[in-house]
Amino acid sequence: MAEKISEKVKNFFQKKKADTKFRKAGPGHKLTESTSSNTAAPKPKKPGYIAPQRNTPSDVTRQAAEAALARMSSQKKDSAFNTSLAAIQAKVRRELEAERNNAQPLAEVPIGPKETELEVSAHLAVKGVYFRCPLVSDEVLNKEDWKVKIKEFLFAALEEERGITACLILYSCNYNRTKVQDCVNILCRYIDNIIGNPTETKFHRIRCYNPTFTDKVLPVLGASEFLYAAGFRQQRMEHNGVEEDFLVWSEENVGSLETLEFLRDALKSENRVDLELDRNLQILSPAQAAVRLELPQDFYAISPEEIKKEQQSKSEMAEKQLQLRTKAMREKDELREIRKYKFSLIRVRFPDGLYLQGTFSVYEKLADVLDFVRDNLEHDGLPFILTTPTGQKFEEKDFESTLAELRLVPATILIFEWDPAFNEEIQASGNITYLKPKIMILMQEL
């Protein structure tokens, strides 16, 4: 049954994606057409980051590096972009020179907001946290906007697949998990009572003014739609000498008890429309990255009121720092601090002074950061390493650790460098560039 539900949900999503492709295809084309003008080969997925061997690079790594070096030597740059690139490099050199003259180090993003400013600031490192939902559209929106979009999308799909869609609405459009689970438990009880006692009419009726129904079922989006798909219809019936509204089940409305079993299992499967975190990629010059910026409220797992309480207790924390505490006590406080955050802002500083910035979930792995960097490198075949500003190098065992576990939360700067095993060859190529041209252009739009 679980496989049948999975296949049904999969088909639902595939149909919606096909509908989206059809809308984009324009007139006069079939989705199954394979013409060179409107069908492109799927882009192969890039392999995950392979940890370079410090002393003896593997044959695969050596071949990839040699291929990248060959491209660096033979690649012809677009003259239109060269002018733009030269301007960017000149600007960066001027800013680096100004920094050296002023002897002011680059400032990292602070751990928390300013003590007296909780309102939206004009100096945010990012404006917010943004997401994608390819099933619905190609837009990049914040979570609140997506809540509206997903709700509209699912309710529009109710007529063609009411049962599955109602289950998706339940889990995708309600944000109090406790209330959703309570509602699901009650709905499953309704269905189980009918399946276990198909001829017992008392299980075929739900009184609309029953406190349990009005408090725990009716307010939950998707619950009424699910009951309709399960064969319930509203009727006026007599109860204790008074006419009241009831939801009455009939097998004619649902087809068979097997359909009820399918809907119950679909309800328990907890399928939902998920969002994908957008990296909100930005390129920063040294001057832009040097400004002390703040993180928006979206990065926090706690409310502004809770943040204010945290700030009021800073003096107490300062006193604690002066006390002798065990390692376990310090780690406990550190983990409590990390749990305040849902997202982490990662800046990767390149030797030419530019910064590559992206947003990550605190539960994503270091390998995801490495892949993010690789995807934006002009020469992605060359091995590289990332280190912390203190010089700490990440080992291969760290790649599967989360950003929270590595304490790279809520914001950090990582230093980029090519693998030392290939430094001489890269220097000899005489063409040291880091980021892709289309990525470099983004800096001018900030």
Side-chain angles (χ1 to χ4, degrees), residues 188-204:
C188 288
R189 194 186 313 149
Y190 292 154
I191 302 303
D192 286 336
N193 285 338
I194 295 174
I195 293 173
N197 308 275
T199 59
E200 188 65 57
T201 57
K202 71 176 182 179
F203 294 126
H204 296 182

Side-chain angles (χ1 to χ4, degrees), residues 16-33:
K16 288 301 172 187
K17 289 180 180 178
D19 291 343
T20 302
K21 289 181 181 178
F22 181 79
R23 288 194 299 270
K24 293 179 181 178
H29 298 289
K30 295 181 180 179
L31 292 178
T32 54
E33 282 183 342

Side-chain angles (χ1 to χ4, degrees), residues 313-323:
S313 65
K314 279 186 176 181
S315 58
E316 297 177 10
M317 292 297 296
E319 291 178 7
K320 280 186 178 181
Q321 298 295 333
L322 299 176
Q323 300 173 1

